[in-house]
Amino acid sequence: MNHIELKDIRKQDYFYSEAIKTLRANIQLSGKSVKTILVTSCCPNEGKSDITLSLAKELGNMGKRVLLMDADIRKSTYVSRFAIGQEIYGLSEFLSGQIEVKDLIYSTNYPKLHIIFGGPTAPDPSGLFSDDLFRAFLKEVRGYYDYVLIDTPPVGSLVDAAVIARYCDGAIFVVEQGVVSYKLAQKAVHQLQKSGCRILGAVLNKVEPGRDKYYRRYGDYYRKAAIDQES
């Protein structure tokens, strides 16, 4: 297995760190069967990749074997955001038959955390994710890792997340405070529900003090969505 050094470009304050620990605890309380978890959002730049990486690191610090998968093979930014200078192979190359599993997964400088990069842009990502190879690969890594976190493109604008969700045990929905409308968030959640994937909950990101009313509005909706899905 190849090794990669990830440079953490986000400075985490106390409140952010505590929120990630709470998210980690809630994930663990979801049950042993919840291992393959999709993380998505409505729109780009809502901070889902930061949250996915932070959650992966926190789970690794707890001694869990974690695989972080960048499934945005339309416009992957992981290599540039972590300032990686070496040649990297990615998911699009594996799913198109250009590389093998041994070339795909990288160990990192964080405890118990392995990573898969998105790779070069693919012309038909949803077709690659619908292929039996991706389904079989997820089943294989699910048997080895305690958690597989899949960072997908926003479900509000692309179908990829909904396709991947069919093979996942649960989904986390990231919403940026004050940016995403209730109607758009509702539409995105319904898109995930159609896949049959269990929605574990929502993360309200970039929260500003004094916006409790906004928080309660989204919180009430997601609690209702979870109840409707399980009933």
Side-chain angles (χ1 to χ4, degrees), residues 137-187:
F137 175 65
L138 274 188
K139 183 177 180 180
E140 181 179 352
V141 295
R142 187 184 186 279
Y144 178 79
Y145 291 95
D146 296 305
Y147 292 98
V148 180
L149 303 182
I150 307 176
D151 185 351
T152 73
V155 70
S157 53
L158 297 169
V159 72
D160 301 7
V163 173
I164 296 171
R166 295 182 297 179
Y167 314 128
C168 295
D169 303 318
I172 297 172
F173 193 68
V174 177
V175 181
E176 181 179 353
Q177 183 187 40
V179 172
V180 177
S181 69
Y182 178 81
K183 184 176 182 180
L184 180 58
Q186 188 179 39
K187 180 181 178 181

Side-chain angles (χ1 to χ4, degrees), residues 86-107:
Q86 68 192 72
E87 183 180 10
I88 295 294
Y89 296 109
L91 187 60
S92 60
E93 292 163 300
F94 170 71
L95 295 178
S96 59
Q98 300 178 59
I99 61 172
E100 300 178 2
V101 173
K102 65 180 179 64
D103 302 313
L104 177 64
I105 303 176
Y106 293 81
S107 62

Side-chain angles (χ1 to χ4, degrees), residues 27-37 142 146-147 168-170 198 200:
I27 292 295
Q28 292 181 288
L29 290 172
S30 296
K32 291 184 177 180
S33 62
V34 179
K35 301 180 66 176
T36 306
I37 302 171
R142 187 184 186 279
D146 296 305
Y147 292 98
C168 295
D169 303 318
R198 174 186 173 190
L200 302 177

Side-chain angles (χ1 to χ4, degrees), residues 68-144:
L68 171 57
M69 182 186 300
D70 174 16
D72 190 348
I73 58 178
R74 295 178 187 268
K75 190 179 179 182
S76 176
T77 60
Y78 269 61
V79 172
S80 59
R81 72 180 291 161
F82 295 125
I84 298 171
Q86 68 192 72
E87 183 180 10
I88 295 294
Y89 296 109
L91 187 60
S92 60
E93 292 163 300
F94 170 71
L95 295 178
S96 59
Q98 300 178 59
I99 61 172
E100 300 178 2
V101 173
K102 65 180 179 64
D103 302 313
L104 177 64
I105 303 176
Y106 293 81
S107 62
T108 73
N109 47 307
Y110 294 111
K112 303 287 186 178
L113 174 58
H114 293 169
I115 189 169
I116 292 175
F117 293 94
T121 302
D124 182 21
S126 58
L128 292 177
F129 289 130
S130 299
D131 192 86
D132 289 339
L133 176 60
F134 181 67
R135 187 186 315 174
F137 175 65
L138 274 188
K139 183 177 180 180
E140 181 179 352
V141 295
R142 187 184 186 279
Y144 178 79

